Amino acid sequence: MVKKILVIYTLLLFCGNVSAQKGVLGLVKKVGTLIDSMSIRGLDRNYIDAPTKPWQIIVRGNMSQSSVSMNAEGNIDGLNYIAKPYLKTKPAQYVGLWVGYRGYGLGYTVNVGGDKGTYFTLGATGGSYGVNMRIHSFEENAPDFGLETDLIPEEDKDEWQKVHLTNPIKVRTLIANGYYLFNGKRFSYAAAYDQSVMQKRSAGSLMVGAMYFYGRIDYASHSNGDLIYLMHGLGKVKLWQGSVGVGYAYNWVPVRGLLVNAMFMPMLTFVNKIKAYGYATNVEELMKEPNFWSDDISNDKWDEWFYSKLSISPMGDKTFNSGMKLNFDARLSVTYNFGRYFVNAYGQFNNMRYSHQSSYGHLNDWFVNTSIGIRL
């Protein structure tokens, strides 16, 4: 009797396990069917088609670069100067792998060269919409200084073109944008940017979009007190921009398998805010000490004396709101499909400007993405 009960119990467990597996498989199948139907729902199949093989494995490469230009004009002891600190990262290279089903999936990217910063992207593309976010952080401790002044003898000016900062200038940028298409029935943005569907015939669409930009430049430290002094007390700046626009995108299919996408969108920037952080320095006090102008001590001893005494102290911050201005967003993408394989490349450029009293500058940020993938 006990053996019969054990056999029946074992059979029940086996059946239950099979039933659970069928339940999980059934759920996965239902989700896949739902995604399949969402990918082609409402589409004109003469213009857009979903590949028969739904899985995608994509190897992605990214190259990006950021640069910051700062300018300040002033006067020391009756002599004018123009300080132009400029820092630019080395082109950074990233390589990653992405696996997904009908454009929905996960990816991972690692830095393989260039700057030692961090780079993070997040995006989702649907039939009539899309959202993307990109964060880039980096540091630079040897900016091109570009000091124009009669304060420094001509023979010493070359040494000022490249300075070494004990504490680096830290920069972070965040760009987020989204869009909505009015002709999602015949025009596919996804075909150009994640290849989850294929554009069969040329078509375009009117579109609306929004973009948010955040940038932070921070070099506020005691050892950078001389730089802060030349920048009129400006030691850190934060920038925000919010824009909305109406534009047009077009998918051109000159031959079977080849797709060229171009998008241009004039944008009205209605949020254009700058937050400037001011710092007091003791540079002028140090300039009154005999060691500052002495020729009797070596450069190393002078640096040791100067930077051991250099200090800054926060003076507060102030927010400035600039008026509305017209900007634009432009992109270009090229995709080629051949059988189960496809290759793609696209790029984007962003520019952010700021000004505070006699200090001003800009922050540029560009990237180019390339990918090669297979459908399974």
Side-chain angles (χ1 to χ4, degrees), residues 221-270:
S221 64
H222 293 296
S223 61
N224 291 337
D226 48 353
L227 174 59
I228 293 172
Y229 176 73
L230 291 175
M231 300 303 293
H232 301 291
L234 186 65
K236 180 167 64 175
V237 60
K238 294 181 179 180
L239 314 100
W240 295 267
Q241 274 193 354
S243 308
V244 294
V246 179
Y248 191 80
Y250 190 76
N251 278 346
W252 179 42
V253 185
V255 295
R256 182 183 178 89
L258 179 62
L259 171 62
V260 180
N261 170 271
M263 186 273 286
F264 181 79
M265 181 182 294
M267 305 193 80
L268 182 65
T269 300
F270 62 94

Side-chain angles (χ1 to χ4, degrees), residues 112-189:
V112 294
D115 69 42
K116 298 179 180 180
T118 59
Y119 181 80
F120 174 77
T121 60
L122 180 66
T125 304
S128 298
Y129 70 90
V131 292
N132 295 278
M133 183 179 70
R134 197 165 64 92
I135 300 173
H136 187 202
S137 300
F138 68 94
E139 298 181 352
E140 178 62 60
N141 61 0
D144 291 326
F145 201 74
L147 185 63
E148 300 177 9
T149 178
D150 292 331
L151 285 168
I152 302 173
E154 191 67 32
E155 62 272 16
D156 295 334
K157 286 186 177 180
D158 289 342
E159 297 181 9
W160 280 83
Q161 297 306 309
K162 180 71 73 172
V163 298
H164 184 83
L165 303 176
T166 304
N167 288 310
I169 300 174
K170 301 175 182 178
V171 180
R172 170 172 291 184
T173 63
L174 182 152
I175 302 170
N177 52 58
Y179 67 87
Y180 178 80
L181 303 168
F182 291 98
N183 188 24
K185 183 178 180 180
R186 294 181 176 177
F187 171 87
S188 173
Y189 207 67

Side-chain angles (χ1 to χ4, degrees), residues 22 87 89 111 120 136 138 183 195 197 247 253 274 309 345:
K22 287 183 177 180
L87 56 147
T89 65
N111 181 290
F120 174 77
H136 187 202
F138 68 94
N183 188 24
Q195 294 75 52
V197 296
V253 185
I274 303 167
K309 290 181 173 291

Side-chain angles (χ1 to χ4, degrees), residues 309-354:
K309 290 181 173 291
L310 192 59
S311 65
I312 66 171
S313 58
M315 294 182 63
D317 56 75
K318 190 173 183 179
T319 301
F320 305 87
N321 290 295
S322 301
M324 291 189 295
K325 69 174 184 177
L326 189 64
N327 208 332
F328 70 90
D329 186 13
R331 300 183 189 183
L332 181 67
S333 169
V334 179
T335 304
Y336 184 67
N337 295 279
F338 50 103
R340 294 190 300 162
Y341 302 90
F342 55 89
V343 291
N344 169 262
Y346 74 92
Q348 183 175 341
F349 175 83
N350 293 96
N351 172 267
M352 179 70 174
R353 296 184 176 273
Y354 74 90

